[in-house]
Amino acid sequence: MVNTLISYILILKKLSKGEVLSKHDLRIVKSYLGLSFTNLEIMGLIFSFILLVVGVIFHFLNIYLYLEVIFYIMAILTVVYIMPIPAIYEKLYLINLNIFLEVSLSSYKDMHFKAVNFNNHTKFNINKKIVYFIYDDFYFYIKEDVLVREEIKKFKKSYIFKYPDLNSVNKEPIFFKLSDILSFEGKGDGAFSSSDFLDIINYDKERPTNFKLNLNNLKTLELSNDIYPYFKNLISEREA
């Protein structure tokens, strides 16, 4: 367990440096988040169960009752020793995943972010439904979500496990300028707000991509409509 805990700490350090995790790293992380079990944990649980059974046998035979107590204590200590506490380790993981995003997206550090849905049609080299709309009112990027969002069943409930995606991290974004925009189509007057990195990590919405941004290269970007108020306000300010 100590070696595994050290491995987990080293994995968090890798994340904080903006590094992508290996399959072995991901197995350890899933174990600490309570999403899977390692061989050590499985063997530990079996050993604890055997200790409990032996303790029960001693209880019903009414012999060596002090050994019964010892077996129970050993079973409890074994479970405590081998089983991580998911709530604590998940918080540590999210903190370092947040740092990973900050490092891997550092080239846009002076810009703002908004997590939105994207219609990934073949005109663009983006293969995910979630993208980051990165903006500063003059220059714009559409960056593919740099996280893998893997759905895992946990006690009959779905849990979305997020971890770095090497392909998306290295993929070039779509870039355009304000002067490249011919027109846009959308609806609604909702408030627009930027996303911080924790918002990006927790983003799991799937909204219709009915906002259309028409560019002068005859291509159209289709994004979720929550981006519409931004461009509506931006163009209004430019025309004022």
Side-chain angles (χ1 to χ4, degrees):
M1 180 62 181
V2 174
N3 289 336
T4 310
L5 178 57
I6 292 173
S7 298
Y8 185 73
I9 293 172
L10 292 176
I11 289 169
L12 296 185
K13 286 185 176 293
K14 287 177 66 175
L15 272 181
S16 66
K17 293 178 182 178
E19 297 180 22
V20 177
L21 305 182
S22 67
K23 290 183 179 179
H24 177 70
D25 294 335
L26 292 174
R27 281 197 296 269
I28 293 175
V29 172
K30 286 180 180 179
S31 170
Y32 271 82
L33 298 184
L35 301 175
S36 65
F37 293 101
T38 63
N39 291 334
L40 174 64
E41 290 167 348
I42 293 172
M43 289 188 292
L45 289 174
I46 293 174
F47 180 64
S48 299
F49 178 75
I50 292 173
L51 290 174
L52 287 174
V53 171
V54 173
V56 170
I57 292 173
F58 274 88
H59 174 78
F60 282 105
L61 292 178
N62 199 28
I63 58 173
Y64 303 115
L65 295 182
Y66 67 93
L67 286 178
E68 173 192 350
V69 176
I70 292 175
F71 283 129
Y72 289 154
I73 293 174
M74 288 178 62
I76 294 171
L77 290 177
T78 300
V79 171
V80 171
Y81 180 73
I82 67 166
M83 297 299 293
I85 305 173
I88 295 175
Y89 294 115
E90 181 177 15
K91 185 173 182 179
L92 291 174
Y93 179 73
L94 288 176
I95 290 172
N96 285 274
L97 191 59
N98 190 91
I99 297 173
F100 166 83
L101 286 177
E102 185 176 353
V103 173
S104 61
L105 300 171
S106 59
S107 56
Y108 313 104
K109 64 180 180 180
D110 296 323
M111 304 182 76
H112 303 287
F113 292 78
K114 179 72 173 178
V116 295
N117 288 120
F118 177 80
N119 181 11
N120 52 341
H121 51 72
T122 56
K123 291 182 180 179
F124 300 101
N125 186 30
I126 290 182
N127 301 312
K128 294 182 180 178
K129 293 183 178 180
I130 296 176
V131 297
Y132 314 146
F133 171 62
I134 307 172
Y135 62 98
D136 68 359
D137 295 349
F138 293 97
Y139 301 103
F140 307 93
Y141 296 88
I142 305 296
K143 175 68 176 174
E144 183 173 280
D145 184 17
V146 300
L147 301 177
V148 174
R149 298 170 190 268
E150 178 184 349
E151 183 176 359
I152 298 176
K153 294 293 183 180
K154 182 181 178 182
F155 304 117
K156 296 183 179 180
K157 294 183 178 181
S158 293
Y159 179 89
I160 306 299
F161 175 50
K162 303 110 177 177
Y163 57 92
D165 184 347
L166 178 61
N167 293 328
S168 297
V169 169
N170 294 327
K171 185 177 290 187
E172 288 296 319
I174 300 169
F175 168 72
F176 59 98
K177 304 186 293 292
L178 181 62
S179 58
D180 295 329
I181 301 174
L182 288 179
S183 62
F184 59 90
E185 306 168 37
K187 59 182 180 179
D189 297 312
F192 177 83
S193 60
S194 60
S195 305
D196 58 26
F197 291 128
L198 187 57
D199 293 331
I200 289 175
I201 293 171
N202 293 328
Y203 189 86
D204 57 2
K205 301 173 184 177
E206 188 167 334
R207 296 180 176 177
T209 52
N210 49 15
F211 170 71
K212 295 182 179 181
L213 196 63
N214 303 307
L215 304 178
N216 58 12
N217 61 2
L218 303 181
K219 291 185 178 181
T220 299
L221 293 165
E222 299 178 21
L223 305 162
S224 48
N225 204 64
D226 45 357
I227 212 79
Y228 173 71
Y230 168 78
F231 280 101
K232 182 180 179 182
N233 294 333
L234 178 64
I235 299 303
S236 297
E237 290 173 1
R238 291 284 181 265
E239 292 176 346

